[in-house]
Amino acid sequence: MNSIRVKKFDYIIIGAGPAGMAAAITARAHGLSVLVLDEQPSAGGQIFRNIETLEATRKSEFSKLGQEYESGSSLVRRFKKCGADYFPDRSVWQIDNNLQIHHVSASASKSNSAISHCQAKRLLIAVGAMERPMPLPGWTIPGVMPCTAADVLYKSSGFIPDGEVVLAGSGPLLLLIGCRLLDVGVHVSAFLDTSMNGALLKALPLLPKALRSHKYLIRGLSLLWKIRKAGIPIYSGIQNIEALGSSKLEKVRISKSGKFFDVKADLLLLHNGVVPNVQITRNLGCEHRWYDVQRYWEPIVDDWGNTSVDDVSIAGDCGRVAGAAISQVSGHLAALETVFQLGVISQAERDKLSQPHHIELARHNHVRPFLDKLFQPGKKWLIPENDKTLACRCEEVKVSEIRETVRMGIKDPDRLKSMTRCGMGYCQARMCGLTVSEIIAEENKVSPEEIGYFRVRSPIRPVTLGQVAEID
Amino acid sequence: MFKKQYESHETVSIIFEGKKLDVEKGLTVASALLVSGNTVFRSSVVSGEPRGPYCMMGVCFECLIEIDGIPNQRACMIPVRDAMKIKRQQKNKE
């Protein structure tokens, strides 16, 4: 067998979104050797997905995506020129204690399925966020998707939804994507608003601070206004949403004030906020805590993004979710810390260079507590009221089965997993993990903080035995 | 479920369930099948219920499909290639 050839770098960054790209630029400016591994075929992350191709070949769509998206071009250009080694299409499937990283092609086929290895002095996790799964009856029927799926198809392929579209959920991203659909002439037949009743009142005490970043608020209000002006029927105070159809979505059943009614639909786009992707930080054993306002797990970090594990830090939305602008700032900060830790600059230099970023961070952070409170996910949409709803899509485990197991005295997510198979499928609990913590916590009348989360083991991504066997 | 906004300029031919499809070069397998009106990619390994793409970004593993004889490939992560043979994954065939 061949022994492993390991290429060494000062700094390895996982993720080529706003945070990862910003960190690479700063680290390279101080002369570090940098490797960026990213699972997608091109740089930009989900927010600036496919940005280079769109700008070069489909100008009209590029400009339709708005100023924030356009702002990504200069970042991608600077990243591409910064001198970092950049490997797209790589899935990281294992990270050893000595920061040796094993990765494989994300679009693996016979020809390019071999595993590669590399080792870092310091590691940055910048893998971003994902949509919080919104389990409801029928959500496995083809034609039910999270709203970002429509965004991906638009940015990568220029496709737009065909037929009747129903939007359901709450959060700024749903408003943004909803408005984009209206801009390109998609027919939205209903907007099902699941935001918490009274959320605005609860968020109001945070408004004065938020007004200091009024740009965000004006943008949010204009999105809401656009949806109202378009004359789309908006339903709020909904009790239940159910997707109906067999091999394809046919209609969405809504229950409101004890009455049912159906809306014909070809596509149901769901959204219940965005949550950090903690698969890698969990796997590495970083400490996490429960963020109660937005109800998700986040790695515990200091001002520089350092986690509880030596030489591992995070930047961007795989920590507290804050959007593209803050992600870039946190990327620059994490890189400056690494440049300091590796002895290239002094602590005083680090502090001086990071000052503008800290100021920027403070400015953005004025509005975030308000938005987090305003778009707090409603409990009804975290744990489905209908017990027959599938919590685990891969192994088809119902909410009722999880409840029954918990009532047998099972409090530990991992024990529940071995008893029900919930979380054992291909997605490795990415789709059911939060729901499981929520259900166990609710049954025991405690916070998910006390319950914890599934232990995330390697491989972080499924790999074939054949691929692993190539390692000595 | 989804449609194109303009005509494709460069295409490749893929074979889905024995049927030839001309699709735009550069698309992922998932996008190419969806825009051709194919929404069911496999049947669930537990109940056999039909499943299709969900997240479109490599997270959920719903779009698993057989490509050139290799099963369990994420269709949303793999670009189409000329003469690629794609098949649905059926529960009873496992």
Side-chain angles (χ1 to χ4, degrees):
Chain A
M1 278 200 192
N2 302 322
S3 60
I4 302 178
R5 260 197 326 220
V6 180
K7 203 163 174 212
K8 293 191 176 165
F9 292 87
D10 293 326
Y11 201 27
I12 296 182
I13 298 168
I14 306 177
M21 290 190 290
I25 292 165
T26 293
R28 282 297 305 144
H30 292 276
L32 299 190
S33 62
V34 178
L35 169 68
V36 180
L37 298 169
D38 189 59
E39 200 170 29
Q40 300 298 333
S42 59
Q46 295 303 334
I47 180 94
F48 303 135
R49 196 184 171 98
N50 203 28
I51 191 164
E52 288 171 294
T53 311
L54 272 188
E55 190 180 19
T57 62
R58 305 209 302 259
K59 272 271 184 230
S60 73
E61 278 158 287
F62 176 72
S63 56
K64 269 187 202 144
L65 284 163
Q67 249 177 7
E68 191 185 20
Y69 187 76
E70 284 179 55
S71 76
S73 317
S74 72
L75 180 65
V76 172
R77 269 197 295 274
R78 279 187 294 143
F79 167 62
K80 285 294 191 67
K81 280 196 303 210
C82 78
D85 281 11
Y86 160 56
F87 294 174
D89 182 36
R90 302 306 295 179
S91 286
V92 170
W93 66 276
Q94 183 168 310
I95 302 172
D96 303 336
N97 287 339
N98 60 359
L99 300 190
Q100 191 165 312
I101 297 165
H102 309 275
H103 52 99
V104 65
S105 166
S107 63
S109 67
K110 276 178 202 158
S111 54
N112 58 355
S113 62
I115 282 173
S116 302
H117 323 274
C118 51
Q119 191 169 14
K121 287 183 188 155
R122 295 211 11 127
L123 174 64
L124 181 72
I125 316 289
V127 292
M130 55 176 265
E131 270 190 81
R132 180 201 313 277
M134 188 175 170
L136 46 83
W139 72 315
T140 50
I141 297 169
V144 184
M145 290 173 131
C147 73
T148 44
D151 197 47
V152 168
L153 279 158
Y154 182 77
K155 288 175 184 166
S156 322
S157 319
F159 296 165
I160 57 174
D162 194 14
E164 305 283 326
V165 179
V166 174
L167 302 176
S170 118
L173 194 58
L174 184 66
L175 296 177
L176 180 70
I177 290 174
C179 286
R180 272 189 204 150
L181 296 181
L182 295 176
D183 283 344
V184 292
V186 169
H187 187 255
V188 177
S189 47
F191 185 94
L192 315 179
D193 176 16
T194 67
S195 55
M196 272 209 312
N197 289 336
L200 189 59
L201 280 178
K202 281 187 196 149
L204 273 181
L206 301 165
L207 184 62
K209 211 175 163 195
L211 283 174
R212 283 187 238 162
S213 310
H214 64 279
K215 217 172 72 187
Y216 282 97
L217 294 179
I218 290 171
R219 198 166 137 229
L221 286 173
S222 69
L223 295 175
L224 260 175
W225 174 244
K226 199 171 196 168
I227 286 176
R228 292 204 178 271
K229 210 176 62 180
I232 299 162
I234 301 176
Y235 302 94
S236 51
I238 296 158
Q239 269 132 8
N240 276 300
I241 301 171
E242 184 175 359
L244 297 166
S246 52
S247 62
K248 191 183 161 300
L249 179 72
E250 283 156 23
K251 53 193 172 185
V252 179
R253 182 160 291 167
I254 302 150
S255 87
K256 195 183 151 148
S257 327
K259 286 188 186 121
F260 289 97
F261 59 99
D262 292 347
V263 179
K264 192 178 160 294
D266 297 291
L267 184 65
L268 169 61
L269 295 176
L270 303 174
H271 182 72
N272 199 20
V274 174
V275 300
N277 190 344
V278 293
Q279 215 76 4
I280 292 181
T281 45
R282 284 263 175 204
N283 175 261
L284 287 171
C286 303
E287 280 177 44
H288 289 68
R289 71 171 160 230
W290 180 254
Y291 176 40
D292 204 53
V293 178
Q294 276 292 312
R295 302 200 77 80
Y296 58 62
W297 300 102
E298 59 183 11
I300 299 175
V301 292
D302 64 10
D303 288 346
W304 307 93
N306 292 310
T307 69
S308 62
V309 173
D310 286 348
D311 297 318
V312 175
S313 59
I314 63 153
D317 283 355
C318 62
R320 178 72 58 92
V321 174
I326 297 200
S327 291
Q328 284 177 56
V329 171
S330 66
H332 289 304
L333 286 172
L336 283 171
E337 165 73 357
T338 284
V339 175
F340 158 61
Q341 290 289 343
L342 295 180
V344 179
I345 56 171
S346 69
Q347 187 165 346
E349 281 171 303
R350 177 201 70 180
D351 292 347
K352 188 167 168 263
L353 288 168
S354 60
Q355 218 177 7
H357 299 303
H358 281 304
I359 292 168
E360 183 81 353
L361 195 62
R363 209 167 57 86
H364 284 293
N365 279 344
H366 284 142
V367 74
R368 209 61 220 184
F370 174 77
L371 290 180
D372 281 0
K373 198 95 189 166
L374 182 62
F375 291 106
Q376 231 179 332
K379 197 174 153 220
K380 188 195 289 286
W381 310 101
L382 297 171
I383 307 177
E385 279 174 14
N386 184 329
D387 257 8
K388 289 191 202 101
T389 311
L390 294 181
C392 169
R393 299 170 61 103
C394 299
E395 294 293 330
E396 300 198 340
V397 182
K398 295 187 188 89
V399 172
S400 58
E401 292 167 67
I402 298 172
R403 283 197 195 281
E404 281 157 26
T405 312
V406 177
R407 282 172 196 164
M408 284 159 61
I410 306 303
K411 234 177 156 172
D412 171 36
D414 285 313
R415 277 202 66 203
L416 184 131
K417 179 187 190 171
S418 58
M419 291 174 75
T420 59
R421 295 193 62 79
C422 185
M424 232 181 239
Y426 262 98
C427 87
Q428 298 172 290
R430 286 172 174 89
M431 302 304 290
C432 69
L434 277 169
T435 314
V436 167
S437 292
E438 290 276 6
I439 296 174
I440 304 177
E442 188 195 52
E443 285 286 333
N444 286 285
K445 297 188 177 61
V446 294
S447 159
E449 179 83 52
E450 283 183 48
I451 299 301
Y453 190 78
F454 290 120
R455 187 187 303 267
V456 179
R457 293 192 172 86
S458 292
I460 306 162
R461 286 279 184 215
V463 281
T464 65
L465 215 52
Q467 288 172 321
V468 180
E470 284 176 33
I471 306 175
D472 196 4
Chain B
M1 202 188 291
F2 288 91
K3 64 183 176 192
K4 290 189 267 199
Q5 295 180 94
Y6 45 83
E7 279 314 301
S8 349
H9 39 269
E10 213 178 331
T11 62
V12 296
S13 296
I14 57 172
I15 296 142
F16 178 59
E17 291 291 317
K19 223 175 81 187
K20 191 175 141 230
L21 294 173
D22 291 324
V23 299
E24 192 181 337
K25 197 180 162 190
L27 294 182
T28 61
V29 171
S31 314
L33 292 181
L34 280 177
V35 83
S36 320
N38 298 292
T39 53
V40 179
F41 282 40
R42 64 184 181 100
S43 61
S44 143
V45 289
V46 182
S47 65
E49 293 288 319
R51 294 289 178 90
Y54 186 74
C55 77
M56 294 301 293
M57 54 176 80
V59 175
C60 74
F61 293 77
E62 283 290 355
C63 63
L64 295 180
I65 206 158
E66 185 184 306
I67 298 173
D68 292 333
I70 308 173
N72 298 322
Q73 309 243 32
R74 282 183 288 175
C76 73
M77 300 293 290
I78 301 177
V80 287
R81 286 187 311 267
D82 220 12
M84 197 180 226
K85 286 194 182 68
I86 305 158
K87 274 184 172 168
R88 290 194 181 103
Q89 285 184 204
Q90 304 295 350
K91 186 200 170 192
N92 51 15
K93 274 178 66 183
E94 305 257 321

